[in-house]
Amino acid sequence: MAEVENLSAVLKKKGELVLENTPIPLPGKNEVQLKMAAVGICGSDVHYLVNGRIGDFIVKSPMILGHESAGIVSALGEGVTNLKVGDRVAIEPGVPCRMCSFCKEGRYNLCPDVFFCATPPDDGSLRRYYCHAADFCFKLPDHVSLEEGALLEPLSVGVHACRRAGVRLGSRVLVLGAGPIGLLALLTAKAMGATHIAITDLDQGRLDVAKKLGAHHALRVDTRDAEEMARRVEAALGCKPEISIECSGAEPSIQTGIYATKSGGVLVLVGLGPPTVNVPMVSAALREVDIRGIFRYANCYPLALEMIASGKVDAKPLITHHFPLEKTLEAFETSRTGAGGAIKVMIHCDQ
Ligand code: NAD
Ligand code: ZN
């Protein structure tokens, strides 16, 4: 009976991902039930599978994976007025408490009591049916695909990074790391008006994609000498970038980010590497380079959707692979190994 099952991708424990049926959830007050459609695999999903933890977030009991997702409203909970059954929506996966000072100030990504899909102990959305707060679901116009809806999640990270960096018309920007997050930061920076963008990576294949997406300069990192890389960035751009957005988390890359950024500029740290890194802090201090972190995003889905819906940003080329829910394990293996030039692997939950 196809309609009564709820096939779900459950991470039992580190290294053990299984597909099994879980109860179909019913929407509570102000929630919608969603028939899931597209779920992108994020590096963090792979990380929980391989390592069982990210920092202090530890998988202690079985958890359903998936948080980059879109689906179709299949039932309304009490009180929902903004959506109707059949609406196609992108799902913003973090629902904050709405009561604390961070929530009240609008920086709800910093809420200590946020529910976030597939961050332990919260279950994710990689399953046939899932329920979510209706006001954290964004209705997609007809011409925006559900896959693009799923991409709004990592795109929102790019939006938040570019907003924190202050990207605007004429900005010269360095993006460090050309994984999905770096590439989406590149697309966002371009859409926000950056006119000269350099991007770095170890991997030539990813740099080639970055070039196709509109990077003006794509620099392969072949040295751990951060000052040397910074010189190459300056030579490529013709001057130092006033904004750098670090999207690898690698220590040498963060170091390059500091050396490369123009005095008085901003370095935004998106990439998450080891908890402690050695960086040339005095160079940043003496040259008034502001170092800003970002944690996910807040209030970024509407702009991310507008960028896609208006055609300002085409994120579709990032999707390199497709798998049905039944082949989730294969999908994760493809994402983990980067086989076949995989960038964003998309899982389709509908039968
Ligand atoms: P990814 O691993 O696919 O991409 C990282 C890229 O960095 C790879 O292409 C890799 O080749 C490149 N790289 C590695 N070392 C490098 C170096 N020394 N110089 C330049 N490039 C180098 O990961 P992703 O999904 O694109 O995510 C990027 C980072 O952003 C991850 O660390 C992830 O944890 C982090 N992230 C942070 C937030 C946040 O809220 N702060 C949100 C999402 C992702
Ligand atoms: Zn809160």
Side-chain angles (χ1 to χ4, degrees), residues 76 114 153 176 338 341:
L76 302 181
V114 67
E153 203 282 335
L176 301 115

Side-chain angles (χ1 to χ4, degrees), residues 11 61 74 129 143 169 205-206 225 228-229 244 335 341:
L11 178 61
S61 54
S74 50
Y129 290 95
H143 68 283
L169 187 57
R206 290 196 160 182
D225 183 341
E228 166 61 17
M229 278 314 299
S244 296
S335 180

Side-chain angles (χ1 to χ4, degrees), residues 41-52:
I41 299 181
C42 166
S44 71
D45 294 310
V46 176
H47 211 85
Y48 284 123
L49 171 59
V50 174
N51 300 302

Side-chain angles (χ1 to χ4, degrees), residues 312-331:
K312 277 266 178 199
V313 165
D314 179 9
K316 289 191 295 293
L318 264 72
I319 306 173
T320 51
H321 290 72
H322 298 268
F323 291 90
L325 181 59
E326 290 80 355
K327 293 202 171 156
T328 290
L329 273 67
E330 222 175 287

